[in-house]
Amino acid sequence: MAFDKDSIIASLKEATIMDLADLVSAIEEEFGVSAAAPVAAAGAAGGEAAAKTEFDVELTSAGNAKVQVIKAVREVTGLGLKDAKGLVDNAPSVIKEGISEDEANDLKAKLEETGAEVTVK
């Protein structure tokens, strides 16, 4: 059976509001979707911004104690020496992404103790 858009549109024009409401419910059930989701997302985008829950920690400068900063980056990221050195050498660079605010602030404090300049975004 071929998809006939015109006949479907003609059928919808003849349907009552109750028939259309039942059709929407049946489609939602059959395909596991919600017709209200796009409306809610559009409403949230137009309203107040939601509180930020994920943060990125960016190393902006290694400062004078580059070796100490590399050691700290290795410790907090679990990267090898070469990768950690690459992040520090190529600053500004993101050290960790999508972490909680508390974790981001702890990481910032730890890196700043070594002399690095860090930004939480």
Side-chain angles (χ1 to χ4, degrees), residues 42-95:
E48 292 183 28
K52 188 171 180 176
T53 58
E54 293 186 348
F55 297 85
D56 299 340
V57 177
E58 180 182 61
L59 175 70
T60 54
S61 171
N64 294 330
K66 187 173 170 182
V67 173
Q68 297 301 330
V69 174
I70 292 170
K71 287 180 181 180
V73 169
R74 284 188 68 199
E75 181 184 327
V76 298
T77 62
L79 294 173
L81 179 60
K82 182 178 180 181
D83 294 330
K85 184 179 183 308
L87 282 176
V88 174
D89 286 343
N90 295 317
S93 55
V94 176
I95 302 300

Side-chain angles (χ1 to χ4, degrees), residues 7-40:
S7 69
I8 292 173
I9 291 173
S11 295
L12 291 174
K13 285 181 180 179
E14 296 173 10
T16 66
I17 299 290
M18 290 303 295
D19 290 337
L20 294 174
D22 290 341
L23 175 63
V24 168
S25 296
I27 290 172
E28 288 176 336
E29 241 178 69
E30 180 68 27
F31 297 104
V33 296
S34 174
V39 174

